[in-house]
C-alpha cells in the first residue's frame, strides 16, 4: 500500500536517509521510532507528497486516500468545531452551511419575493446533502469530538476561539472522521487527556486501514502497533512486534554487534602485532606481505553506536514535617460552576498522590490551590513545616527569558554552582555540547519543559507539585525522569495522562468525579485493578 524504496534525503548538511526502504500494508499498524531530528516528520511529508526524496521511490497504491495529522495546525476560525471537522470530508459541510443560510432566508420577510427560488434551491441542496449521508456524518463528527472530550458547547462554538491544544484535537478529529485508507499520525497523543487517549486507542485498534504513527506515549503506542520501523543513522530497520519486543531485539542485536566488533578488534591487534614484529626480517617478508593484504581486504565491523542516556541523580532534599499538605473544607468554583464543595485532603511525607478526573473536574485547580496560584472561595489550604515546594505547570515555560541562553538561564538560577556541575545538569536533560548556547526563544516546547525541570530538580525541593510534566517530553527524557523520580525521597502531588508515569510513580490516588471525591491507598496500577477502569468515568474495560 505504501512503499519507500532506496530513499535518500538530505536537509542542508544533515543526511537523513541513505538508500532506506520500508513498507506499510493495509491493516498494519506501525510505530515509527528514532531520536529527535532523525527525520520522522520528513518521512511523513515524503509519503504525503509534501517533500520529494533526493533519490529513490515513494509508491502509494492508486486511488489510496491518506490522512496526515501533524503538529502544524492550519488557521481555523469563523466556523464551529463540528463544521471544521466535517470540512475534512469534502463538500458536505459547504452544503450544510448553505442549507442553514437558505433556512434563514425562508423566514426572512425581506426575501419573501424570492421564496420560490429559495425553496427550489433548498430542495436541490437538501437532496445532495442526503445523498452524501450528511445527517449521519454530522452525528459521526459529534461522536468523534465527544471521544476527544469536547462538550456540546465547545463543538458548536467558534473554532477560532479554542486554544492550540483544542485546535489540535479538531485537526485530529477531521482525519479520524475521514477514515482514509492510510493514516499518518505524528504525535497524536500530545495535548490529550487520559480519557481522550483511551478513546483514541480503541478507535485506532478498530481502524482497518494502514497506520503509521509516532508517539512519546509508550503505553499508548504499545497497545496499538504490531510492527516498529526505526530510523537509525539514515537506515530504516523494521521489527515485527511492539515496542517491548523492539527493545529486546535491539539490545540483542547491539550485544551481538559489540561481541563481533570486539572479536575482530582482538584479531586485528594480533595481526598488526605480528606485522610490526617481523616487518624488518627478510625471512618473514612473504608472511608479513600476505597478512598486510589480508588486513586490507577485511570488511571492518563498526562498533554499535551507543544511545546517550544520561541519568539524573537527585541530591537528597531536606526533610519536611510529617503533614505536608492539608486541605480543609475547601469550596472553589468558577463563575456559577462549583468545582469543589467541602474538599478535605491530607498529604503526608513520602506519599505520591496522582490526581485523576475528567476534563473540568478540577485537577489543575487543586494543584494551583496547593501552589498558591489560586485561592479557595472558602476553607483553608496549609503547607506543612519545613516544606520546600517545586511547582511545574504548563505556564512555567512562558517564564523563561527568551534572550538568555540555556546556560545563562541555569547560571542565573544557581550562581553558586560551578560550570562543570551546570554542564552535567544540562547534559542530563538532553542539552549536550553547544546546545547550551541556544537562546531560550528558539527552544521547542519539549526543550523548554526540560530546562524548567532541570532548574526545579537541581536544588531539590521536598514537595513536587507537577501538572502534566511529561506533555512535551520524548520517550528517552521521560524514562530518565521516571527513573530519577523513582529515587526521589520527598513527597509528590501530580497530574499526568501518561500511564507509564502514573503507574511507576504513584502510591496514592485522588479521584475527582461528579459524584464526589474518592481516595485510594495504593497507586495507579492498583486503582486500575480495583476499579476495572483506566480513568474516571470510563466503563470498566473501556
Amino acid at each position: 500500500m505504501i512503499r519507500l524504496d532506496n530513499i535518500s534525503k538530505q536537509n542542508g548538511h544533515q543526511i537523513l536517509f541513505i538508500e532506506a526502504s520500508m513498507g506499510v500494508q493495509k491493516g498494519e499498524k506501525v510505530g515509527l521510532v528514532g531520536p529527535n531530528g532523525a527525520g520522522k516528520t520528513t518521512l511523513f511529508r515524503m509519503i504525503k507528497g509534501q517533500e520529494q526524496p533526493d533519490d529513490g521511490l515513494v509508491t502509494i497504491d492508486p486511488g489510496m486516500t491518506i490522512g496526515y495529522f501533524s503538529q502544524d495546525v492550519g488557521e481555523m476560525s469563523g466556523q464551529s468545531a463540528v463544521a471544521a471537522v466535517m470540512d475534512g470530508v469534502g463538500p458536505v459541510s459547504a452544503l450544510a452551511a448553505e442549507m442553514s443560510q437558505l433556512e434563514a432566508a425562508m423566514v426572512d420577510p425581506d426575501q419573501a419575493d424570492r421564496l420560490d427560488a429559495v425553496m427550489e434551491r433548498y430542495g436541490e441542496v437538501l437532496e445532495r446533502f442526503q445523498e452524501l449521508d450528511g445527517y449521519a456524518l454530522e452525528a459521526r463528527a459529534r461522536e468523534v469530538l465527544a471521544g476527544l472530550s469536547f462538550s456540546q458547547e465547545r463543538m458548536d462554538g467558534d473554532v477560532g476561539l479554542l486554544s492550540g491544544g483544542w485546535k489540535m484535537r479538531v485537526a485530529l478529529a477531521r482525519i479520524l472522521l475521514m477514515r482514509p485508507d492510510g493514516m499518518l499520525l505524528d504525535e497524536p497523543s500530545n495535548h490529550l487527556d487520559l480519557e481522550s487517549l483511551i478513546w483514541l486507542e480503541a478507535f485506532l485498534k478498530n481502524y482497518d486501514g494502514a497506520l503509521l504513527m509516532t508517539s512519546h506515549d509508550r503505553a499508548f503506542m504499545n497497545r496499538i502497533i504490531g510492527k516498529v520501523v526505526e530510523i537509525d543513522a539514515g537506515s530504516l530497520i523494521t521489527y515485527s512486534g511492539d515496542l517491548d519486543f523492539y527493545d529486546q531485539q535491539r539490545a540483542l542485536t547491539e550485544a551481538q554487534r559489540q561481541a563481533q566488533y570486539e572479536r575482530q578488534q582482538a584479531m586485528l591487534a594480533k595481526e598488526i602485532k605480528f606485522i610490526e614484529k617481523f616487518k624488518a626480517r627478510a625471512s618473514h617478508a612473504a608472511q608479513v606481505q600476505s597478512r598486510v593484504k589480508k588486513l586490507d581486504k577485511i570488511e571492518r565491523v563498526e562498533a554499535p553506536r551507543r544511545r546517550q542516556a544520561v541519568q539524573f541523580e537527585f541530591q537528597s532534599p531536606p526533610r519536611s514535617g510529617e503533614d505536608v499538605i492539608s486541605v480543609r473544607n475547601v469550596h472553589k468554583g468558577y463563575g456559577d460552576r462549583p468545582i469543589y464543595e467541602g474538599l478535605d485532603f491530607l498529604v503526608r511525607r513520602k506519599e505520591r498522590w496522582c490526581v485523576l478526573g475528567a476534563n473540568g473536574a478540577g485537577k489543575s485547580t487543586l494543584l494551583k490551590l496547593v501552589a498558591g496560584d489560586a485561592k479557595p472561595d472558602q476553607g483553608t489550604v496549609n503547607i506543612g513545616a519545613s516544606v520546600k515546594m517545586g511547582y511545574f505547570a504548563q505556564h512555567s515555560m512562558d517564564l523563561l527569558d527568551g534572550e538568555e541562553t540555556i546556560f545563562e538561564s541555569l547560571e542565573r538560577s544557581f550562581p553558586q554552582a560551578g560550570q562543570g556541575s551546570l554542564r552535567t545538569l544540562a547534559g542530563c536533560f538532553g542539552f549536550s555540547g553547544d546546545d547550551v548556547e541556544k537562546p531560550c526563544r528558539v527552544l521547542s516546547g519539549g526543550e523548554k519543559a526540560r530546562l524548567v525541570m532541570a532548574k526545579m530538580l537541581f536544588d531539590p525541593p521536598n514537595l513536587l507539585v507537577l501538572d502534566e510534566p511529561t506533555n512535551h517530553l520524548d520517550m528517552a527524557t521521560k524514562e530518565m525522569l521516571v527513573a530519577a523520580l523513582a529515587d526521589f525521597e520527598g513527597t509528590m502531588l501530580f497530574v499526568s495522562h501518561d500511564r507509564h508515569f502514573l503507574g511507576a510513580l504513584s502510591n496514592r490516588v485522588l479521584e475527582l468525579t461528579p459524584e464526589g471525591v474518592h481516595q485510594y491507598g495504593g497507586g495507579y496500577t492498583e486503582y486500575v485493578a480495583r476499579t476495572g477502569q483506566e480513568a474516571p468515568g470510563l466503563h470498566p474495560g473501556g
Side-chain angles (χ1 to χ4, degrees):
M1 282 198 96
I2 300 171
R3 275 225 51 84
L4 279 73
D5 289 302
N6 297 318
I7 295 294
S8 294
K9 179 74 175 171
Q10 191 165 341
N11 269 355
H13 294 301
Q14 190 190 9
I15 295 171
L16 293 176
F17 299 104
I18 310 161
E19 296 185 351
S21 301
M22 64 163 281
V24 187
Q25 299 301 320
K26 181 175 166 55
E28 276 190 329
K29 297 182 171 71
V30 182
L32 183 63
V33 300
N36 279 351
K40 298 190 284 286
T41 299
T42 304
L43 187 92
F44 283 140
R45 290 175 61 81
M46 287 194 295
I47 293 172
K48 195 71 178 89
Q50 293 173 352
E51 283 190 40
Q52 298 305 315
D54 300 334
D55 211 351
L57 271 182
V58 177
T59 316
I60 310 292
D61 278 2
M64 180 180 180
T65 53
I66 290 184
Y68 172 36
F69 171 77
S70 76
Q71 296 295 302
D72 295 329
V73 176
E75 188 44 52
M76 295 183 194
S77 63
Q79 58 183 160
S80 68
V82 172
V85 170
M86 286 165 65
D87 252 8
V89 184
V92 175
S93 118
L95 292 168
E98 191 179 349
M99 273 165 61
S100 63
Q101 285 167 0
L102 292 166
E103 283 162 6
M106 283 183 213
V107 294
D108 182 353
D110 294 344
Q111 300 201 40
D113 54 339
R114 290 184 56 237
L115 188 59
D116 288 349
V118 169
M119 298 271 287
E120 189 181 340
R121 176 64 188 153
Y122 185 75
E124 290 166 8
V125 174
L126 178 63
E127 190 180 348
R128 182 78 186 114
F129 186 73
Q130 286 171 329
E131 272 172 22
L132 292 172
D133 212 5
Y135 289 115
L137 189 72
E138 181 170 341
R140 271 178 47 217
R142 287 182 182 277
E143 194 183 317
V144 169
L145 285 168
L148 295 174
S149 298
F150 276 73
S151 61
Q152 291 298 328
E153 190 184 348
R154 207 172 240 148
M155 288 180 203
D156 293 317
D158 183 347
V159 73
L161 302 176
L162 296 175
S163 69
W166 286 98
K167 281 181 179 163
M168 289 262 187
R169 296 186 194 210
V170 171
L172 179 59
R174 193 180 263 190
I175 285 154
L176 301 181
L177 184 68
M178 271 170 70
R179 286 226 170 217
D181 304 320
M183 277 201 257
L184 310 175
L185 302 181
D186 195 359
E187 294 294 346
S189 52
N190 277 6
H191 304 286
L192 293 186
D193 53 79
L194 190 52
E195 291 74 21
S196 305
L197 259 181
I198 292 164
W199 177 87
L200 179 59
E201 197 176 275
F203 185 98
L204 293 176
K205 277 183 185 168
N206 291 325
Y207 169 66
D208 56 7
L211 173 66
L212 181 64
M213 65 182 276
T214 63
S215 173
H216 292 329
D217 188 317
R218 189 183 181 90
F220 172 73
M221 188 127 103
N222 239 355
R223 295 177 188 206
I224 295 166
I225 62 168
K227 186 166 151 182
V228 173
V229 171
E230 179 190 36
I231 303 177
D232 185 17
S235 299
L236 289 167
I237 305 162
T238 301
Y239 297 80
S240 56
D242 61 10
L243 285 174
D244 294 340
F245 180 76
Y246 151 75
D247 283 341
Q248 290 163 8
Q249 289 301 110
R250 199 178 191 289
L252 199 63
T253 308
E254 206 166 85
Q256 287 167 344
R257 277 249 302 271
Q258 184 66 29
Q260 211 180 344
Y261 171 75
E262 285 168 6
R263 277 199 304 274
Q264 191 180 65
Q265 288 299 306
M267 182 273 290
L268 292 174
K270 196 171 158 189
E271 294 293 326
I272 289 163
K273 192 175 173 188
F274 180 91
I275 292 164
E276 289 299 317
K277 188 174 179 182
F278 294 112
K279 67 182 175 188
R281 295 191 193 175
S283 58
H284 286 72
Q287 280 170 291
V288 166
Q289 208 50 43
S290 81
R291 289 189 185 208
V292 168
K293 279 182 185 164
K294 179 179 152 189
L295 283 190
D296 284 344
K297 285 180 186 165
I298 284 175
E299 195 173 323
R300 303 294 162 108
V301 175
E302 278 186 39
R305 283 177 304 283
R306 300 239 170 256
R307 290 278 162 97
Q308 289 306 308
V310 189
Q311 288 309 315
F312 176 74
E313 287 181 13
F314 271 99
Q315 301 166 30
S316 287
R319 185 186 167 121
S320 70
E322 285 304 313
D323 288 357
V324 178
I325 303 166
S326 169
V327 175
R328 291 192 186 282
N329 191 30
V330 161
H331 291 247
K332 178 72 179 169
Y334 289 111
D336 54 3
R337 190 170 77 86
I339 293 182
Y340 314 118
E341 293 173 306
L343 174 64
D344 287 308
F345 175 47
L346 176 67
V347 176
R348 297 178 67 81
R349 193 171 74 86
K350 287 203 165 185
E351 290 181 342
R352 295 154 170 248
W353 287 86
C354 70
V355 186
L356 300 180
N359 255 333
K363 301 187 294 291
S364 294
T365 302
L366 176 61
L367 270 50
K368 283 177 185 163
L369 288 168
V370 168
D373 268 14
K375 294 278 177 276
D377 302 335
Q378 192 184 318
T380 58
V381 178
N382 288 317
I383 302 302
S386 311
V387 171
K388 179 183 169 195
M389 189 190 311
Y391 175 44
F392 178 89
Q394 296 308 303
H395 67 74
S396 320
M397 299 184 283
D398 304 333
L399 305 177
L400 295 169
D401 180 339
E403 295 313 306
E404 283 184 335
T405 66
I406 290 171
F407 196 75
E408 286 166 350
S409 187
L410 290 172
E411 251 184 341
R412 189 165 54 82
S413 296
F414 310 109
Q416 306 303 314
Q419 289 228 349
S421 61
L422 289 184
R423 281 189 178 274
T424 305
L425 172 68
C428 285
F429 284 84
F431 302 113
S432 51
D434 295 340
D435 283 350
V436 294
E437 300 307 328
K438 279 186 187 174
C440 291
R441 65 184 145 73
V442 305
L443 301 182
S444 66
E447 288 171 322
K448 284 180 181 170
R450 297 202 312 259
L451 177 55
V452 171
M453 288 271 175
K455 288 177 153 199
M456 189 171 68
L457 300 179
F458 181 62
D459 180 15
N462 50 28
L463 167 63
L464 287 176
V465 178
L466 309 174
D467 193 359
E468 295 288 5
T470 62
N471 244 5
H472 299 277
L473 302 183
D474 60 36
M475 247 184 240
T477 311
K478 227 184 258 189
E479 291 294 335
M480 182 278 288
L481 188 64
V482 167
L485 291 176
D487 294 332
F488 173 61
E489 291 169 18
T491 307
M492 285 172 68
L493 176 68
F494 63 95
V495 172
S496 175
H497 63 245
D498 186 290
R499 284 163 287 180
H500 175 51
F501 193 87
L502 287 168
L505 296 174
S506 59
N507 60 22
R508 300 280 187 284
V509 174
L510 182 73
E511 181 189 47
L512 307 174
T513 73
E515 293 74 47
V517 175
H518 308 287
Q519 302 188 15
Y520 295 87
Y524 176 71
T525 310
E526 289 87 343
Y527 164 84
V528 174
R530 191 182 302 183
T531 62
Q533 60 188 25
E534 293 190 289
L538 290 178
H539 299 300

